[in-house]
Amino acid sequence: MSDLDKEIHTDFSKDMTYGDYLQLESLLTSQKRLSGHHDEMLFIIIHQVSELWMKLIIHELEAAIKAIEKGEMQAAFKMLARVSKIQTQIIQAWDVLSTLTPAEYMEFRDKLGRASGFQSYQYRLIEFALGFKSRHILKIYEKEPELKMRIEEALQAPSLYDVSIHALAKAGFSINPELMKRDFSKTYGGDKTVANAWMEVYKDTDKYWDLYQLAEKLVDIEDWLQQWRFRHMKTVERIIGFKRGTGGSSGVHYLKRVLEHRFFPELWDLRTSL
């Protein structure tokens, strides 16, 4: 043993270990297969890892929204950049799941019952934080009142784009006053005053550098989210074709439809108009 190795701490009778800190016993015993099939482990772990990454995305998005409201743009930029990096990790997870063949999935698919990724409440919280609001899905969570309340609060809260529009108004742009007091539980559909404001930002980036950086961070996040959605759709098509989802959704048809939604419409439209 080298002199350096002699410094390694080995007595943890009174100290917290790495496993204790991360609660690994709980984490690593949470993969409970309902079938005896080898590949169900892959299916469970991929979805659990994705949910952990989504938890961090929500943590960063909620903090970024508060930072923008306070005018703390640099802090928000750091958080939003981190979200984009996390998104790349979730996208790559589909590459691993796509090693699951249709024949292998059919060996345990019936064990899922009506459980489906469509029911992921964290994914809904991400959509809500980005401004894609859908009240009808709240019914899914009725058996968990505390969870339903959390989702209801997120439904009513201003999204990342709402606070970005408010930032435009604070910077002196003439923004439709109705947007300042709109019903945040409804999906934003676009507004000419917002389009005009963003156009001015892109025409004079030196003057509006912070707003320009904010806009590009938003585009990054939507770009990566749409790539995630696309990889999701293609992985589902590869494994189950056009069968209905276990939760009753139309599967690939539904996933293709949501690809058409735009979270930050003016920021995409100006690329044609600029």
Side-chain angles (χ1 to χ4, degrees):
M1 181 182 295
S2 69
D3 290 339
L4 289 175
D5 291 337
K6 290 178 181 179
E7 299 298 320
I8 295 174
H9 190 77
T10 57
D11 181 5
F12 287 93
S13 57
K14 296 181 180 179
D15 292 323
M16 177 177 65
T17 66
Y18 170 81
D20 294 333
Y21 175 67
L22 295 178
Q23 300 185 53
L24 289 182
E25 183 62 26
S26 174
L27 184 66
L28 299 178
T29 55
S30 295
Q31 296 73 48
K32 303 186 187 303
R33 289 182 290 170
L34 298 181
S35 74
H37 198 273
H38 172 84
D39 293 301
E40 189 182 356
M41 183 65 77
L42 162 68
F43 191 82
I44 293 171
I45 288 177
I46 285 293
H47 287 85
Q48 286 183 338
V49 168
S50 293
E51 289 291 337
L52 284 172
W53 280 128
M54 283 192 276
K55 182 174 183 177
L56 185 53
I57 287 176
I58 294 164
H59 177 71
E60 299 296 341
L61 285 178
E62 290 178 345
I65 288 171
K66 291 178 182 177
I68 294 169
E69 287 179 319
K70 295 176 182 177
E72 298 171 355
M73 291 299 195
Q74 294 305 315
F77 297 157
K78 175 64 182 294
M79 296 162 189
L80 296 177
R82 181 174 291 160
V83 169
S84 293
K85 290 297 184 181
I86 298 166
Q87 289 175 296
T88 67
Q89 296 298 308
I90 295 182
I91 290 169
Q92 289 177 357
W94 293 119
D95 294 336
V96 183
L97 187 59
S98 67
T99 65
L100 181 69
T101 69
E104 291 163 347
Y105 184 46
M106 287 303 107
E107 291 291 329
F108 62 86
R109 187 179 190 237
D110 64 319
K111 298 296 183 182
L112 274 62
R114 295 190 180 278
S116 165
F118 181 82
Q119 298 146 17
S120 169
Y121 74 84
Q122 291 202 123
Y123 180 69
R124 296 303 171 190
L125 290 175
I126 291 171
E127 284 191 330
F128 287 6
L130 297 180
F132 187 31
K133 306 294 182 75
S134 48
R135 180 178 292 278
H136 71 279
I137 59 91
L138 289 175
K139 191 171 179 63
I140 294 173
Y141 312 104
E142 283 186 344
K143 78 172 189 175
E144 301 175 83
E146 289 186 10
L147 175 58
K148 185 182 178 185
M149 186 181 298
R150 180 185 176 191
I151 298 172
E152 176 74 41
E153 289 174 355
L155 181 73
Q156 301 290 344
S159 71
L160 179 63
Y161 201 45
D162 287 317
V163 297
S164 297
I165 291 172
H166 290 185
L168 288 171
K170 290 175 184 176
F173 289 101
S174 179
I175 300 296
N176 180 356
E178 292 298 315
L179 295 180
M180 300 293 103
K181 54 182 180 180
R182 78 180 194 88
D183 182 355
F184 296 126
S185 71
K186 296 180 179 179
T187 299
Y188 173 78
D191 186 275
K192 187 174 179 60
T193 62
V194 174
N196 292 339
W198 284 127
M199 182 62 73
E200 288 304 309
V201 168
Y202 274 75
K203 285 182 176 179
D204 194 347
T205 57
D206 289 339
K207 182 177 180 181
Y208 302 112
W209 186 250
D210 277 356
L211 290 169
Y212 175 59
Q213 287 189 86
L214 174 60
E216 286 299 295
K217 290 288 187 293
L218 297 180
V219 170
D220 285 343
I221 287 173
E222 178 164 351
D223 191 350
W224 284 116
L225 182 63
Q226 294 293 50
Q227 290 187 53
W228 182 91
R229 283 174 160 179
F230 179 78
R231 289 294 296 124
H232 184 188
M233 182 268 292
K234 295 306 294 183
T235 302
V236 170
E237 183 178 1
R238 175 173 177 155
I239 296 174
I240 67 168
F242 288 84
K243 294 185 181 72
R244 296 194 74 83
T246 49
S249 75
S250 58
V252 169
H253 292 295
Y254 169 78
L255 296 173
K256 284 185 175 180
R257 191 165 64 250
V258 297
L259 273 170
E260 297 175 359
H261 174 75
R262 297 191 302 171
F263 291 88
F264 317 128
E266 292 89 357
L267 293 178
W268 293 99
D269 290 342
L270 72 78
R271 281 153 165 76
T272 302
S273 304
L274 192 64

